[in-house]
Amino acid sequence: MSAINSKEYWNYRFENDWEERGGLIQTRAFIQLMINHLPDSVIDYLDSRRVTVLDWGCGIGVGVKEFAERFKKASVAGLDFSDVAIEKSKELFPQFEFIAGSLDTHRKRYDVIYSSNCLEHFKDPYPWMKQILSYTNKYAIFLVPYNEKIKEYDEHMFSFTEKSFYPKFYGFNKIFEKVIDECPNCWAGQQILVIYKKH
């Protein structure tokens, strides 16, 4: 198999064992967890107007569907670097827009960009966080495992704590941070939800 977390690696995973290893169930549970813990100010923003939203690292699109069902005024799209994931997303959920590639190649801005359980797959997540923020108009939402013990040859390569998220970063202020103790059906450990708002 290709190097862990490479495009080829994830193309293989999404083609062969993503669903049988619980990927659909886990993705849905993560998104529901994120939605259930959003602060009122962000919920009000999403409920009160037509906003554009991007699921960054959308996999096969389950999170896009869950988010759109909760926030019915939002126009929700998904982006992933795995061509296989995007093709499966389009087959499963043709009512949504799905993009293969990166924000730098897509070059479209969104009012809200969220990323659920993706950034821990990078040894250095900060360039990707910066890229997300550079295409975000209002809110960037990050959900990742909290204080995880990293194992060699694991898919997860970075362990996040509160100190991992700067108070100010690339023109944004951190406005919300919450460690979530339980994630039924998705994760044995804790998660941390962090939200940035543009200055």
Side-chain angles (χ1 to χ4, degrees):
M1 187 181 288
S2 303
I4 292 176
N5 290 328
S6 66
K7 180 178 178 179
E8 293 75 19
Y9 175 88
W10 282 106
N11 276 339
Y12 178 88
R13 288 287 321 279
F14 286 120
E15 186 69 57
N16 292 279
D17 66 0
W18 179 247
E19 295 178 45
E20 68 184 47
R21 291 174 61 178
L24 283 175
I25 295 171
Q26 190 178 60
T27 300
R28 183 178 292 111
F30 280 138
I31 293 298
Q32 290 173 346
L33 186 79
M34 183 185 76
I35 291 170
N36 290 340
H37 289 274
L38 290 175
D40 290 342
S41 58
V42 176
I43 291 174
D44 290 344
Y45 176 78
L46 289 163
D47 275 337
S48 64
R49 67 204 78 197
R50 298 192 179 279
V51 297
T52 55
V53 179
L54 181 72
D55 182 334
W56 187 90
C58 67
I60 60 174
V62 176
V64 171
K65 177 179 177 290
E66 293 291 322
F67 201 91
E69 287 183 348
R70 169 57 185 86
F71 299 105
K72 298 188 183 303
K73 289 186 177 181
S75 175
V76 188
L79 180 145
D80 202 285
F81 80 155
S82 167
D83 303 314
V84 172
I86 293 302
E87 287 306 310
K88 284 181 175 284
S89 297
K90 291 177 178 179
E91 291 173 7
L92 287 169
F93 310 110
Q95 67 271 39
F96 300 109
E97 179 186 16
F98 292 100
I99 307 108
S102 72
L103 281 167
D104 277 346
T105 56
H106 182 48
R107 303 193 68 80
K108 181 178 177 181
R109 300 183 63 83
Y110 295 86
D111 298 317
V112 177
I113 299 180
Y114 67 83
S115 178
S116 170
N117 285 262
C118 291
L119 291 170
E120 69 275 11
H121 292 275
F122 300 98
K123 287 184 178 180
D124 181 6
Y126 293 103
W128 297 104
M129 293 171 67
K130 182 178 178 181
Q131 184 179 118
I132 289 169
L133 293 174
S134 69
Y135 289 95
T136 302
N137 293 329
K138 186 76 171 182
Y139 292 109
I141 304 169
F142 301 114
L143 181 69
V144 291
Y146 175 74
N147 199 27
E148 186 181 10
K149 304 302 181 194
I150 302 301
K151 301 174 184 177
E152 193 174 7
Y153 306 117
D154 192 11
E155 288 178 355
H156 293 187
M157 298 181 172
F158 191 93
S159 180
F160 288 90
T161 67
E162 294 91 342
K163 294 180 180 179
S164 305
F165 295 94
Y166 307 132
K168 297 181 182 294
F169 189 48
Y170 202 65
F172 283 71
N173 292 325
K174 183 171 66 174
I175 63 160
F176 184 82
E177 179 179 83
K178 183 176 184 179
V179 175
I180 303 169
D181 288 331
E182 295 182 1
C183 183
N185 300 320
C186 61
W187 190 247
Q190 296 174 305
Q191 294 267 307
I192 184 168
L193 175 64
V194 176
I195 301 175
Y196 283 90
K197 182 179 180 181
K198 195 171 183 64
H199 286 172

